[in-house]
Amino acid sequence: MHHLWLIPTIPLAGSMINLLLGRRLPKIAVSGVAIGSVLLSFLWVLNVLSGLGSLEEAHVERYFTWIQSGAFNVGFDLMVDRLTAVMLLVVTGIGLLIHIYSSGYMAHEEGFSRFFAYLNLFMFFMLILVLAANYLVLFVGWEGVGLCSYLLIGFYYLKKSAGDAGKKAFIVNRVGDFGFSLAMFLIVVTFGTLDFGRVFAQAKDMPVEAGVGTLTLICLLLLLGATGKSAQVPLYVWLPDAMEGPTPVSALIHAATMVTAGVYMVARSSTLYLKAPLAMDAVAIIGLVTAVLAATIGLAQNDIKKVFAYSTVSQLGYMFLALGVGAFSAGIFHVVTHAFFKALLFLGAGSVIHALEGEQDMRHMGGLRSKIPVTFATIFCAAVAIAGVPPFSGFHSKDEILLAAHHHAPWMYWVGVVTAGMTAFYVFRAIFMTFFGSYRGHHHPHESPWVMLGPLCILALLSLGGGYIHIPHFLEPLFPLAEGAHEPALVYISVAAGLAGIGLAWLMYVAQPGLPDAIAGSFRGLYTLVYNKYFVDEIYDAAIVHPLRDGSRSVLWKGIDEGVIDNAVNGIGRSARNVGSVLRVMQSGYIRSYATWVVLGSVIVVAAISFLGGSR
């Protein structure tokens, strides 16, 4: 036993301490408990992995029986294999850096202890998710991170937009989670178990489905869950609004960890997906559509966090494209490199916002590279990484995905290349609008404290060199390496697309800063469409939200609740009251009146008996 349960339990203990005692503790103690718990969890992960060695086989620890019904048994079981090892290091490592950063970023915020209690609670559920040895324990973590996301998005609960964003995330994810629940029921019916090892062992002996069979249906339902958690079409709409939460939340939950849970779940279920080619195609198409859609929206956003939010949605689409074409290890590789550079982009954006006392509109920034040079240098490292500039981390993982896509279907490669060009453009658009030109704001920019800059520097190093941690080779025992020769021409084309995007951004926002407005004026209709995010939220409101709300009011509330239930209950009450009004006349309190009623009753009884006797 390597006591895997300690990995998630230590952050849970930190959460409980701050939740129960945090208000009475000084802030340094609160942050010390939160950071210390994640540090201990990270160190225990290292201890476990060093003790397990090469991880040629999964290490499973079974603690107790959770559900027992006949032959069906679900235990609270945790496991570590190579995929789990990668995710554990990402979650605890990046989580530790973001906790340290948060101690500086949130230092002057109300609800300091509540924030760290929620953040630690998130770590607990995310670690349960990746350690799970069966689908039900995974689902506990899955729902838990959704709850924490809701709590942290709505952290500023007195702000209506934050409350609305939290509810939107919670409700949209319930749609996906309903699909996940149905998938689990179907897995139980098909395999008689939810245990990963037993499910996948049985699935390996099943034939590949030519059409829509049981395995395909299971995979499509799991995909529905993944589109909610990992913000893919059609359930991506919650993630951009999630930027209402504090910036460290955006970095940890909505860039580096929780939103990759769908990618992790599909990769974990790769044995099922390889038997369901139609489901694999669905994963690839949804990923590609999401990548393109989100990238185009990111071109026109002016809120620095919204730009990176749509970038996250687009990069998650890349990961799904990798999974759909069978390059599972490449998808997880991009999860890792994306955790480095996207966490850095969000934390860098937080440093900019901190420097400008809350300003997020890039139109009110500019010229900041000389005023906050460390923030600029680190965020620039993230930008070249996500743009796919060699030899930095994003280049390595994106190259793996694009080559696998070309082997599967060349048109997917070309769409991916165009998306890569757009990615480089909108990220460097944000860089140039924020750090170049003249300052257009109204505050006095100041560099962040080193408790915030330290994590930025570490993430910058990982963004630059993280691509050399070659995850696909480490995961090869679990997933076959992506097929497709490393053709230099394909690599050169994708790199050229990224460099072209950077060059175009420089031309439009540094060399000729009036050019964007001129182009927007020439293509007013298209610009309006993209700027307003294709009016997807408005379409959802008109087609789903308003009909549900109005129907609930007119049918469920006015019709059923008030018209049927209330009228039935109130009708019984009115009838009882009316009968009581009649009987009350008989209860006068006078003995003479009661005697009269007794005589009258006696006369009626005698008359009735006489009548019945005469009729015989």
Side-chain angles (χ1 to χ4, degrees):
M1 294 286 284
H2 288 268
H3 302 292
L4 300 181
W5 62 274
L6 281 173
I7 297 173
T9 304
I10 297 172
L12 177 63
S15 175
M16 293 300 101
I17 291 171
N18 279 331
L19 202 60
L20 297 174
L21 306 175
R23 289 187 178 183
R24 294 189 287 272
L25 296 175
K27 288 185 176 180
I28 190 170
V30 169
S31 58
V33 167
I35 295 168
S37 67
V38 180
L39 174 61
L40 288 174
S41 183
F42 175 68
L43 293 175
W44 192 252
V45 167
L46 295 179
N47 175 67
V48 168
L49 296 181
S50 64
L52 290 174
S54 62
L55 281 173
E56 292 300 324
E57 294 183 357
H59 170 75
V60 181
E61 294 186 358
R62 307 186 187 278
Y63 297 106
F64 59 85
T65 298
W66 183 4
I67 298 174
Q68 177 72 58
S69 178
F72 177 67
N73 179 292
V74 179
F76 189 84
D77 305 331
L78 303 180
M79 77 171 198
V80 174
D81 64 0
R82 294 191 172 211
L83 176 58
T84 307
V86 171
M87 295 301 295
L88 285 175
L89 290 171
V90 169
V91 173
T92 56
I94 301 298
L96 175 61
L97 294 175
I98 293 174
H99 274 70
I100 295 170
Y101 176 96
S102 299
S103 65
Y105 188 88
M106 301 295 291
H108 304 293
E109 296 281 357
E110 294 292 330
F112 188 81
S113 62
R114 177 168 58 91
F115 174 82
F116 277 105
Y118 291 167
L119 214 58
N120 272 176
L121 186 63
F122 167 80
M123 293 294 293
F124 164 72
F125 281 118
M126 189 68 201
L127 291 168
I128 287 289
L129 190 156
V130 299
L131 281 165
N134 60 62
Y135 280 104
L136 192 56
V137 175
L138 188 153
F139 192 68
V140 170
W142 186 275
E143 291 298 282
V145 294
L147 168 65
C148 295
S149 177
Y150 162 75
L151 294 173
L152 287 163
I153 293 170
F155 179 78
Y156 301 116
Y157 57 86
L158 295 177
K159 187 179 175 185
K160 185 178 183 302
S161 58
D164 290 345
K167 288 182 287 187
K168 183 176 183 179
F170 194 82
I171 293 168
V172 170
N173 272 278
R174 296 293 73 71
V175 177
D177 295 349
F178 179 66
F180 196 156
S181 301
L182 292 179
M184 285 196 294
F185 286 124
L186 197 51
I187 289 171
V188 172
V189 170
T190 306
F191 300 103
T193 181
L194 290 170
D195 183 81
F196 291 147
R198 292 164 61 192
V199 168
F200 301 151
Q202 294 179 56
K204 283 182 180 178
D205 297 328
M206 299 175 71
V208 175
E209 294 181 345
V212 179
T214 302
L215 292 181
T216 301
L217 188 55
I218 289 172
C219 291
L220 290 175
L221 289 170
L222 289 175
L223 175 60
L224 178 58
T227 59
K229 196 66 70 187
S230 292
Q232 297 295 286
V233 169
L235 300 180
Y236 72 93
V237 292
W238 67 269
L239 194 145
D241 288 1
M243 299 304 107
E244 290 288 343
T247 301
V249 174
S250 304
L252 178 62
I253 296 183
H254 306 124
T257 57
M258 187 195 85
V259 291
T260 62
V263 180
Y264 166 78
M265 184 264 287
V266 173
R268 173 63 69 196
S269 307
S270 61
T271 303
L272 302 179
Y273 278 90
L274 290 171
K275 300 291 184 178
L278 289 179
M280 292 275 286
D281 289 340
V283 172
I285 296 297
I286 285 175
L288 203 57
V289 170
T290 304
V292 175
L293 182 72
T296 57
I297 294 174
L299 298 175
Q301 300 304 303
N302 294 313
D303 183 318
I304 189 169
K305 286 178 66 177
K306 285 287 180 72
V307 173
F308 297 150
Y310 279 105
S311 171
T312 299
V313 176
S314 183
Q315 294 301 304
L316 288 165
Y318 258 104
M319 298 172 203
F320 273 78
L321 171 62
L323 301 176
V325 300
F328 296 100
S329 57
I332 298 299
F333 190 17
H334 203 56
V335 166
V336 176
T337 60
H338 179 264
F340 298 154
F341 58 67
K342 186 54 62 65
L344 177 54
L345 284 173
F346 271 115
L347 295 184
S351 185
V352 171
I353 294 167
H354 181 270
L356 299 180
E357 300 177 19
E359 181 61 69
Q360 295 184 200
D361 192 329
M362 296 184 298
R363 292 170 295 187
H364 299 152
M365 299 180 185
L368 295 179
R369 71 182 186 277
S370 60
K371 303 178 187 299
I372 47 174
V374 178
T375 298
F376 166 68
T378 54
I379 203 171
F380 189 84
C381 293
V384 294
I386 191 175
V389 176
F392 308 124
S393 63
F395 161 75
H396 294 275
S397 55
K398 189 166 64 177
D399 179 51
E400 295 273 352
I401 294 172
L402 289 176
L403 289 173
H406 186 271
H407 179 81
H408 183 78
W411 68 270
M412 289 185 172
Y413 164 84
W414 290 107
V415 175
V417 166
V418 172
T419 306
M422 289 191 287
T423 299
F425 175 83
Y426 64 65
V427 169
F428 272 88
R429 170 180 177 266
I431 295 293
F432 293 141
M433 289 183 70
T434 303
F435 294 102
F436 287 73
S438 58
Y439 180 55
R440 302 178 294 275
H442 309 290
H443 303 283
H444 298 287
H446 56 278
E447 187 62 278
S448 299
W450 274 102
V451 71
M452 294 169 61
L453 296 178
L456 295 185
C457 293
I458 295 172
L459 287 169
L461 293 175
L462 291 171
S463 297
L464 295 177
Y468 293 101
I469 309 170
H470 210 260
I471 302 298
H473 287 297
F474 178 72
L475 295 176
E476 190 173 358
L478 288 178
F479 310 121
L481 290 177
E483 295 185 30
H486 281 250
E487 301 177 32
L490 298 178
V491 176
Y492 296 152
I493 291 170
S494 64
V495 171
L499 295 176
I502 296 172
L504 185 60
W506 179 85
L507 174 66
M508 294 176 64
Y509 293 95
V510 178
Q512 300 182 34
L515 194 56
D517 289 337
I519 294 174
S522 301
F523 300 93
R524 177 62 57 186
L526 180 61
Y527 176 78
T528 301
L529 183 66
V530 174
Y531 179 76
N532 289 285
K533 299 162 283 189
Y534 299 104
F535 298 99
V536 172
D537 283 309
E538 289 79 2
I539 293 169
Y540 279 8
D541 284 344
I544 299 173
V545 177
H546 294 316
L548 282 174
R549 186 181 61 196
D550 296 341
S552 298
R553 285 176 176 172
S554 59
V555 178
L556 298 179
W557 176 22
K558 300 291 186 182
I560 296 176
D561 192 17
E562 290 188 347
V564 177
I565 298 173
D566 286 356
N567 280 340
V569 174
N570 294 337
I572 294 171
R574 283 192 295 270
S575 299
R577 187 168 59 247
N578 292 336
V579 172
S581 298
V582 174
L583 295 176
R584 186 172 56 198
V585 176
M586 301 171 62
Q587 303 294 322
S588 63
Y590 295 105
I591 296 176
R592 190 180 302 170
S593 174
Y594 293 158
T596 302
W597 284 111
V598 169
V599 171
L600 179 59
S602 301
V603 170
I604 293 172
V605 170
V606 170
I609 293 173
S610 301
F611 175 77
L612 292 173
S615 64
R616 290 176 183 174

